[in-house]
Amino acid sequence: MTVCTKEKQPFLCEIVGDGVLDVPSKTKMLAIGAIAEKYLRQMSAFYENVSVAKYVIMPNHIHFLIVVESGTSRTPSPTKQNSVVSRFVSTFKRFCNKEIGENVWQRSFNDHIIRNQEDFDKHWQYIDENPLRWRLDELYLSP
């Protein structure tokens, strides 16, 4: 899942390092990014069947993998997953906006239902490597 800041403004964090392998890039959290991270870590307390498995906060967007459990041995339907995901994202944005004092997020978000382990591994790796590839990212805005 990807959630972008309003007008893709880079106020969540800064990327430190130039993204080459010998000088790895890292994220330096800014105030709004720290608030977002706080609520990402708390979201499973509000949704017992949803947990954040992995995330990365970038300057103007957040990528995260969430796990939606059905509570039974049956896999939840895509429609039910979409409903849960929409509520999850809405709650996350609302909590952040309330503490920040204004809306800082774009209206929509991008999501992808992971269907198998290979797809999961690919997205996990993408999240891990995103700071390293920041200047190549489609959401990168040059200073």
Side-chain angles (χ1 to χ4, degrees):
M1 189 163 335
T2 303
V3 177
C4 293
T5 60
K6 195 173 188 178
E7 298 175 5
K8 295 188 176 97
Q9 291 300 305
F11 48 67
L12 298 175
C13 73
E14 294 176 351
I15 302 295
V16 179
D18 60 7
V20 295
L21 293 177
D22 58 338
V23 184
S25 296
K26 297 179 181 177
T27 56
K28 177 183 173 190
M29 214 54 57
L30 300 175
I32 293 174
I35 291 167
E37 184 169 43
K38 175 177 83 172
Y39 288 112
L40 271 178
R41 291 175 182 242
Q42 293 178 5
M43 288 304 293
S44 61
F46 299 102
Y47 293 93
E48 66 183 50
N49 295 333
V50 181
S51 60
V52 177
K54 180 98 171 153
Y55 68 90
V56 65
I57 298 175
M58 299 298 292
N60 61 4
H61 64 283
I62 301 174
H63 294 296
F64 51 99
L65 292 174
I66 63 171
V67 175
V68 179
E69 298 177 20
S70 66
T72 68
S73 60
R74 199 169 63 94
T75 303
S77 69
T79 304
K80 185 174 182 178
Q81 284 181 339
N82 288 342
S83 174
V84 169
V85 167
S86 293
R87 285 192 317 244
F88 179 93
V89 171
S90 177
T91 301
F92 166 73
K93 288 178 176 182
R94 189 173 59 251
F95 286 162
C96 291
N97 290 339
K98 184 174 181 179
E99 184 166 336
I100 294 163
E102 64 178 299
N103 178 28
V104 298
W105 306 107
Q106 281 187 356
R107 273 185 84 152
S108 61
F109 60 92
N110 297 314
D111 64 348
H112 169 78
I113 296 175
I114 293 177
R115 304 274 183 207
N116 57 44
Q117 188 64 46
E118 181 182 348
D119 195 20
F120 182 85
D121 294 344
K122 180 179 102 178
H123 283 82
W124 188 279
Q125 182 177 2
Y126 181 84
I127 288 173
D128 272 346
E129 295 175 354
N130 205 229
L132 294 171
R133 301 175 191 270
W134 172 233
R135 285 176 178 59
L136 303 174
D137 196 295
E138 65 185 46
L139 298 173
Y140 174 73
L141 299 172
S142 60

